[in-house]
Amino acid sequence: SVECQMRTYFAIRTDGTIWMQGYNSSRWFGTDTNVILSKWNKIPGQPDVKFKAIVKGTQLVGLTEGGMVYTLADGSNSWIKKSLPGAVERILANDNGTYIAIINGLPVGWGQSRYLTGVTGIITGFRELATDWNLTKPIRDIALNANAVHFIDADGRLFGMGDNTQGEVGDGRELVNRQELYVGKQYVWNWISPLTKQYQEIAFVPKPVHIRKDKVFTRLFGGGTYSY
């Protein structure tokens, strides 16, 4: 498993340990974030487990072969075993500090709740999201980007939610080419305090909406960019 964030790379060796190379942005090797690790270095303090997947948000999150999740905060050497309601199949993270684990085909989330429940705040433990997302089927595939979540259910239906200014949710609405919604005022990067109710409805989609009801989808691909 390999993961990258900005100018830092993470990888899992065949023995299940996690290593990194590149900028010391997470401050696990001293406090100077401009230090460049030119060789692979084992991240310190790892528990005696075998990791099989890693993701990086504001924390490093590791998934073990047994379905357990461990987290490591930037600047810390203390790994924390995450208490979750079952064995985890997949983990996801974004740069805003939002995290999702898939358990029995259903999502469990923590961290920034804006992209999980549509409400600004922090989920410190975990929240089972099936009710929030109105799921009637397990999830087949899922992608968590910097500002949106998309998933495909077992019937091949695609859903999206999150920031939608550029139309990145995929519901056919956008703001960047809609000057009539803010006549007399220049468009500004402001999703939290909208100019009009309609502006906010377009700029942010708080609950998953069905995308392209006429299509059946099989795969999703995510990344760190602000686009769908």
Side-chain angles (χ1 to χ4, degrees):
S1 178
V2 178
E3 177 79 2
C4 63
Q5 185 185 55
M6 299 298 182
R7 300 171 294 179
T8 306
Y9 302 89
F10 306 91
I12 299 178
R13 286 194 171 181
T14 54
D15 63 358
T17 59
I18 304 174
W19 296 62
M20 66 169 284
Q21 183 182 41
Y23 276 81
N24 184 41
S25 304
S26 299
R27 307 186 309 282
W28 295 318
F29 298 92
T31 59
D32 189 349
T33 57
N34 291 316
V35 168
I36 300 175
L37 305 172
S38 59
K39 297 181 179 180
W40 288 97
N41 291 263
K42 184 179 179 180
I43 298 176
Q46 295 181 46
D48 187 21
V49 297
K50 284 190 173 183
F51 289 100
K52 68 175 184 179
I54 44 177
V55 291
K56 181 66 172 73
T58 53
Q59 297 179 329
L60 180 66
V61 181
L63 175 62
T64 73
E65 292 182 349
M68 297 180 295
V69 168
Y70 286 82
T71 65
L72 179 65
D74 289 357
S76 172
N77 289 334
S78 298
W79 292 75
I80 297 174
K81 183 180 178 181
K82 184 75 178 174
S83 177
L84 293 168
V88 174
E89 302 153 16
R90 184 176 174 185
I91 50 176
L92 303 100
N94 71 12
D95 292 342
N96 293 317
T98 302
Y99 304 91
I100 295 174
I102 302 299
I103 300 174
N104 294 322
L106 298 176
V108 173
W110 69 94
Q112 291 286 348
S113 62
R114 178 172 169 80
Y115 303 106
L116 301 174
T117 65
V119 178
T120 299
I122 301 292
I123 299 170
T124 54
F126 65 84
R127 184 179 180 94
E128 297 182 60
L129 299 168
T131 299
D132 293 289
W133 291 6
N134 195 29
L135 288 177
T136 58
K137 301 281 185 176
I139 287 176
R140 173 188 294 176
D141 200 5
I142 184 169
L144 174 60
N145 292 318
N147 60 336
V149 180
H150 291 85
F151 62 88
I152 301 169
D153 72 6
D155 288 337
R157 298 180 302 171
L158 173 63
F159 294 85
M161 64 181 289
D163 293 321
N164 199 35
T165 303
Q166 300 179 80
E168 55 266 53
V169 168
D171 62 351
R173 308 179 79 193
E174 66 176 7
L175 280 175
V176 292
N177 294 317
R178 297 295 302 278
Q179 176 65 33
E180 73 276 9
L181 294 179
Y182 35 91
V183 174
K185 295 183 179 179
Q186 176 140 2
Y187 171 69
V188 293
W189 187 275
N190 191 340
W191 298 330
I192 305 301
S193 301
L195 302 175
T196 67
K197 183 175 184 295
Q198 185 183 17
Y199 178 102
Q200 175 65 14
E201 288 172 348
I202 295 174
F204 187 74
V205 179
K207 299 288 184 181
V209 294
H210 192 177
I211 309 298
R212 287 303 300 264
K213 296 180 180 181
D214 60 325
K215 299 293 182 182
V216 174
F217 293 86
T218 58
R219 288 293 308 277
L220 273 173
F221 301 90
T225 56
Y226 285 84
S227 61
Y228 164 69

